[in-house]
Amino acid sequence: MAGPIFDEMSGVDGACRPAYAAIKTWLEDSDPADMKRRQEEAEFLFRRIGITFAVYGDAAAEERIIPFDIVPRVLTSREWADLSDGLTQRVRALNMFLADVYGKGEIVRAGIVPEELIFRNPAFQPAMVGVKLPYDMYVHIAGIDIIRTDDKDFYVLEDNARTPSGVSYMLENRDVMMRLFPDLFAEHQIRPVENYPDELLATLRSLAPRSAPSEPTVALMTPGPLNSAYYEHSFLADRLGVELVEGRDLFVRDNIVYMRTTEGPKRVDVIYRRIDDDFLDPLAFRPDSVLGVPGLMAAYRAGNVTLSNAVGTGVADDKAVYTYMPEIVRFYLGEEPKLKNVPTWRCREPDALKYVLEHLPELVVKEVHGSGGYGMLVGPKADKAQIAAFAEKLKADPAGFIAQPTLALSTSPTFVGEGVAPRHVDLRPFVLSGANKVRIVPGGLTRVALKEGSLVVNSSQGGGTKDTWIIEDPGA
Amino acid sequence: MLLSRHADSLFWLARYMERAENTARVLETASRLASVPNGTSGARNEWEAAVDATGALDLFKSLYDEATPRTVVDFLAFSPNNPSSIRSCFEMGRNNARSVRTALTIDMWETINSSWLELRRFQTGKMTRQELNGFINWVKEASLRFDGSAYRTMLRNDAYYFLRLGSYIERADFTARILDARSSLFDPTRETISGSLEYYQLSSLLRCVSALTSYHWVYRESLRPHLIADLMILREQMPRSLAHCYENITRFLDSLARDYGRQGPAQRSARATYGRLQNADYAALTDAGLDEFLAGFLADNGRLGAAIADQYLG
């Protein structure tokens, strides 16, 4: 995958790709001072609306805004059609994999995925074995991280099947762009993303327990205002028109979940929970969790409430299982995967480990169970001491790591300081899986590494976001 | 229907915003009285009286040696150690607002959040008289913006009722307390005002609740203590009077009972207090002394807050 870096606007040869024609003109015609003003205006809007996040381990900066870049990232409808087919296929396979893992276990018996990767996985939830979920759906909301290195293929960098976040930025970025640059919207045919909350609510309701009324009560469960994604939780609850509950607002009686209201207890049928498995129910998981609801798991297992996503989905999205996704797609669907996997060395395999240790300076090494860009080694950016230290960690627990080549992620024009420069980006589309229907709003969250040359797009590591446009193909 | 926790946050959000404004009004009064002749040289220290009026004198004395303009402004406006300081109120208000964001309109949230962000402009330490006035005006404006955004953008449902209940219970508490802190001015044996200091004190009391002009419209007389007390306690037209507060408290509690189809102790308690204010004249109500009446009122008002919490917020 070495070679020149692919830029979404200029390709590799500097010629403007058709999708970016109007953007390029706009960038060339804009006065940098004016762009800077707009950028500041955007930041002011974000801060006033309170679109903030907390960085763990940084007490001084309790609330920050994620930097927003005013240059949109553009994909054509044709590119999107391919991508969304691939996403649908991938998430269908993830759901079938989970139903199998907690059901008959055929994939293990067929020898496709090693047993210990599943049953010794800390995210595997024995409490879910044999539990029958509505429509066998586990991952109702997935965030699939996509990258590209040329104008042909999309690669999946990571599947997020637990509680993926970022969708509020997709929606707010669009909103702010429309306020700041109405003219740009008039010049393009941009497919809307505003219907995401409606699609999400339809998805959640379609998965309500069979015993629920025809208008099931949905609630969004948050760990509370101290959580880094609290803004998103409140934003989504607002847009969905559902109550934003904390654990202490809920209680379970006779295996039925209720929320405490000013009019007494009210039954809850579907909980879109933005809280990890371990904290859901102190009786079933971590006994010290004060965020959870005692008895919730019993109600869930009894089929009286739907949790979104299901409990135990983490077994499908860790980085070790990721490496088997192409086989998983083939096994359940009998199709070739439409989205590629990034070539990955499984350090648990001795040959791979040997290769990885010999090539650390050129590889990216990630913890199998890590997330958010924490605890990873970016070989080309690390010094000798860091590499040596990481090698020791790796040798002590090879199965805890995977390694990938340092990918030349595509770049996208980004406003930095005084002008526009290419910066590396990825894309997180959100895939909704309800009863018999997959919904994906056209677009997603584009994350951008704002530091020159940086490949780490995570907001916790200095990444920013962009509005993502799916436009009708020029000339189509 | 509302989550009980959300109703609680709305109720307290409104109380904290109202309290911030009230504390600013107390500071304003102290600042004015301290600058009139004999303001600080007499037996009474106006700055200390201001702290007393907020009910936090013991806490103040544990933190500072002396009540000076500087220590009192610090304590009432900025101190994180004073849970009722303006800064603390804005902080608690915003925390409550954050935890109940989904029940607020965007305008309300933005108003509360921008006030919180703007507050950083103002620093404790040496404030000139002019800076202090600027700060006080800013607090009052922030409170007006909050009130106005709620009034203009919120759906008239239970969320709105709980918010308003918080405002009025806090406001009634404040009006009763500042009267109580000056109760010596209302000695029934004195019909008229003896000296200029007393005049300043009485007019400041009216200014403190923005009612000096209203007084003249209602009574068309020079300032007389029992009329001032009548205005602040019994006149429903006066938006900070106890009667006005209870007219609204009763109305919003009735709206809740109507929407939820159920009455409770909170409704009964509010109606009883309102009934006493409606049917009495000033002389009869304060038969046993203004002090006695106010002590009883403050206790009833506190009990109503507890009854609302018990009935809805638990």
Side-chain angles (χ1 to χ4, degrees):
Chain A
M1 290 196 187
I5 291 168
F6 170 72
D7 185 73
E8 308 256 340
M9 181 164 82
S10 312
V12 287
D13 53 5
C16 181
R17 297 174 69 232
Y20 274 84
I23 296 287
K24 192 176 171 75
T25 314
W26 168 63
L27 290 177
E28 283 166 358
D29 293 350
S30 297
D31 170 19
D34 181 51
M35 297 282 273
K36 200 177 166 78
R37 258 196 312 282
R38 305 286 189 105
Q39 182 89 36
E40 283 163 5
E41 208 178 315
E43 263 170 42
F44 172 76
L45 286 172
F46 279 104
R47 197 170 283 286
R48 200 180 58 162
I49 305 170
I51 310 178
T52 56
F53 74 106
V55 178
Y56 295 124
D58 188 353
E62 190 206 326
E63 289 171 25
R64 285 201 207 156
I65 56 170
I66 294 189
F68 169 70
D69 179 58
I70 55 178
V71 186
R73 192 264 185 91
V74 186
L75 296 168
T76 65
S77 286
R78 202 171 305 147
E79 287 173 315
W80 176 254
D82 290 344
L83 181 54
S84 70
D85 282 353
L87 291 167
T88 305
Q89 179 195 51
R90 183 136 178 143
V91 173
R92 279 180 65 206
L94 280 172
N95 274 306
M96 293 170 85
F97 172 69
L98 283 162
D100 185 26
V101 160
Y102 291 113
K104 293 179 184 154
E106 284 171 355
I107 200 161
V108 173
R109 270 187 277 137
I112 310 272
V113 180
E115 198 175 10
E116 70 270 20
L117 271 194
I118 296 173
F119 301 119
R120 296 224 190 115
N121 192 314
F124 178 80
Q125 297 292 2
M128 290 300 290
V129 173
V131 175
K132 171 81 180 140
L133 297 181
Y135 305 95
D136 285 331
M137 280 298 179
Y138 286 75
V139 186
H140 314 145
I141 301 117
I144 310 293
D145 292 346
I146 299 287
I147 57 164
R148 65 196 310 199
T149 57
D150 55 37
D151 60 358
K152 291 186 264 312
D153 292 316
F154 291 104
Y155 291 82
V156 175
L157 188 63
E158 208 173 295
D159 302 289
N160 295 283
R162 303 177 201 208
T163 54
S165 65
V167 80
S168 59
Y169 294 95
M170 172 181 86
L171 296 166
E172 294 281 23
N173 288 356
R174 175 62 52 85
D175 208 49
V176 165
M177 281 302 282
M178 289 181 85
R179 280 208 235 180
L180 290 179
F181 303 106
D183 294 348
L184 272 183
F185 282 81
E187 287 168 28
H188 291 88
Q189 297 269 340
I190 303 161
R191 298 180 60 185
V193 293
E194 288 80 355
N195 56 332
Y196 178 82
D198 298 339
E199 303 282 25
L200 174 58
L201 189 60
T203 300
L204 293 170
R205 284 186 164 175
S206 76
L207 295 165
R210 288 174 209 283
S211 60
S214 60
E215 286 271 293
T217 300
V218 178
L220 195 156
M221 184 176 177
T222 174
L226 295 178
N227 184 267
S228 70
Y230 180 73
Y231 168 74
E232 173 154 306
H233 306 162
S234 68
F235 172 89
L236 282 174
D238 217 13
R239 294 294 168 95
L240 292 167
V242 305
E243 296 294 344
L244 178 64
V245 299
E246 295 179 18
R248 55 194 162 129
D249 297 320
L250 300 176
F251 67 94
V252 178
R253 191 192 297 146
D254 300 331
N255 280 347
I256 306 280
V257 184
Y258 298 92
M259 51 186 174
R260 296 176 219 275
T261 83
T262 49
E263 290 180 88
K266 168 133 172 95
R267 185 173 170 170
V268 180
D269 305 299
V270 181
I271 300 174
Y272 174 22
R273 48 93 174 207
R274 296 291 298 261
I275 170 173
D276 293 340
D277 287 357
D278 279 356
F279 296 94
L280 276 174
D281 178 351
L283 300 181
F285 304 114
R286 282 179 59 152
D288 59 335
S289 169
V290 292
L291 305 171
V293 185
L296 183 57
M297 270 309 280
Y300 182 52
R301 288 168 51 100
N304 291 332
V305 67
T306 294
L307 295 178
S308 259
N309 286 339
V311 173
T313 54
V315 74
D317 78 355
D318 82 28
K319 294 180 180 73
V321 171
Y322 162 88
T323 63
Y324 292 92
M325 275 309 290
E327 289 95 320
I328 288 172
V329 170
R330 289 186 201 103
F331 181 76
Y332 293 110
L333 299 172
E335 299 169 2
E336 271 309 297
K338 293 177 176 148
L339 298 176
K340 297 195 170 183
N341 248 21
V342 175
T344 305
W345 290 273
R346 301 164 184 147
C347 300
R348 58 196 296 276
E349 296 170 3
D351 290 351
L353 177 64
K354 184 163 175 287
Y355 178 89
V356 170
L357 285 170
E358 283 164 7
H359 294 83
L360 276 179
E362 59 203 68
L363 298 174
V364 176
V365 190
K366 298 175 180 172
E367 288 180 9
V368 169
H369 303 295
S371 70
Y374 292 99
M376 67 191 265
L377 174 81
V378 182
K381 304 279 169 206
D383 61 31
K384 274 190 179 160
Q386 285 168 321
I387 287 177
F390 206 90
E392 291 310 310
K393 261 171 72 181
L394 185 51
K395 278 186 253 177
D397 177 27
F401 296 89
I402 53 115
Q404 293 168 338
T406 311
L407 293 176
L409 302 192
S410 63
T411 57
S412 174
T414 301
F415 185 74
V416 285
E418 303 305 319
V420 174
R423 290 289 182 267
H424 295 289
V425 294
D426 79 350
L427 173 66
R428 176 179 289 183
F430 296 90
V431 183
L432 301 173
S433 305
N436 311 316
K437 189 167 178 195
V438 175
R439 300 168 168 93
I440 315 177
V441 300
L445 178 67
T446 291
R447 299 187 296 178
V448 51
L450 292 170
K451 248 187 279 167
E452 189 172 3
S454 168
L455 294 165
V456 187
V457 297
N458 303 76
S459 56
S460 51
Q461 313 284 313
T465 69
K466 286 165 166 290
D467 191 13
T468 309
W469 293 0
I470 310 301
I471 59 165
E472 296 309 328
D473 288 272
Chain B
M1 182 207 69
L2 203 55
L3 282 181
S4 297
R5 181 172 54 81
H6 284 176
D8 185 69
S9 293
L10 286 164
F11 181 77
W12 282 100
L13 163 62
R15 289 196 74 155
Y16 284 119
M17 294 306 287
E18 181 75 24
R19 192 173 295 177
E21 178 187 327
N22 292 339
T23 305
R25 286 173 177 278
V26 165
L27 269 177
E28 189 179 28
T29 305
S31 164
R32 183 180 301 113
L33 282 177
S35 63
V36 304
N38 306 323
T40 46
S41 62
R44 198 176 161 86
N45 176 338
E46 289 302 336
W47 292 101
E48 186 171 313
V51 175
D52 196 22
T54 68
L57 194 55
D58 289 343
L59 178 64
F60 178 84
K61 285 183 169 163
S62 74
L63 294 169
Y64 305 85
D65 295 333
E66 199 187 353
T68 66
R70 185 164 172 176
T71 56
V72 171
V73 169
D74 180 61
F75 179 73
L76 291 183
F78 299 107
S79 173
N81 298 320
N82 175 6
S84 292
S85 74
I86 291 167
R87 188 189 180 283
S88 299
C89 285
F90 274 112
E91 182 169 9
M92 303 283 276
R94 181 173 179 273
N95 286 346
N96 276 286
R98 267 197 99 195
S99 72
V100 72
R101 257 192 88 150
T102 48
L104 301 177
T105 62
I106 289 170
D107 293 82
M108 285 183 75
W109 164 255
E110 290 192 356
T111 299
I112 296 159
N113 196 39
S114 356
S115 297
W116 169 246
L117 295 172
E118 281 172 42
L119 180 63
R120 293 175 201 180
R121 280 210 326 252
F122 302 96
Q123 295 295 329
T124 186
K126 271 199 201 113
M127 256 192 169
T128 64
R129 180 83 190 275
Q130 208 172 6
E131 284 165 345
L132 178 61
N133 286 340
F135 173 70
I136 286 165
N137 282 332
W138 175 82
V139 175
K140 285 159 81 174
E141 276 166 22
S143 171
L144 284 173
R145 280 199 300 273
F146 167 75
D147 216 45
S149 65
Y151 182 70
R152 286 175 169 233
T153 61
M154 271 187 94
L155 262 182
R156 293 325 194 237
N157 60 11
D158 44 3
Y160 184 75
Y161 306 147
F162 282 109
L163 192 84
R164 285 302 184 213
L165 283 171
S167 303
Y168 282 112
I169 285 182
E170 184 71 23
R171 191 174 301 170
D173 181 80
F174 177 71
T175 300
R177 271 183 206 287
I178 56 164
L179 270 175
D180 196 36
R182 303 266 170 199
S183 61
S184 60
L185 293 170
F186 298 93
D187 184 341
T189 57
R190 288 187 304 181
E191 286 260 305
T192 51
I193 300 170
S194 52
S196 66
L197 178 59
E198 257 177 51
Y199 178 86
Y200 277 121
Q201 287 178 336
L202 285 168
S203 67
S204 294
L205 192 57
L206 284 170
R207 279 176 197 269
C208 182
V209 291
S210 299
L212 187 56
T213 310
S214 305
Y215 176 90
H216 294 297
W217 277 107
V218 173
Y219 300 103
R220 305 198 175 278
E221 275 201 57
S222 56
L223 299 188
R224 297 173 64 179
H226 75 277
L227 293 181
I228 291 172
D230 180 68
L231 181 69
M232 291 175 67
I233 294 171
L234 293 173
R235 288 284 172 156
E236 284 188 15
Q237 312 98 297
M238 211 291 267
R240 305 186 76 87
S241 73
L242 304 186
H244 181 87
C245 292
Y246 265 79
E247 179 193 3
N248 282 283
I249 289 168
T250 311
R251 180 156 64 91
F252 290 122
L253 279 170
D254 284 347
S255 300
L256 277 178
R258 186 196 60 219
D259 286 6
Y260 293 168
R262 202 181 304 166
Q263 301 266 347
Q267 278 82 7
R268 286 191 286 277
S269 156
R271 223 173 288 128
T273 304
Y274 184 40
R276 278 196 291 281
L277 293 167
Q278 265 182 314
N279 300 326
D281 64 30
Y282 177 69
L285 205 61
T286 55
D287 197 26
L290 182 61
D291 285 352
E292 195 87 346
F293 165 76
L294 290 171
F297 176 84
L298 284 166
D300 285 344
N301 197 47
R303 269 194 294 274
L304 176 61
I308 290 172
D310 198 45
Q311 198 167 325
Y312 296 112
L313 314 179

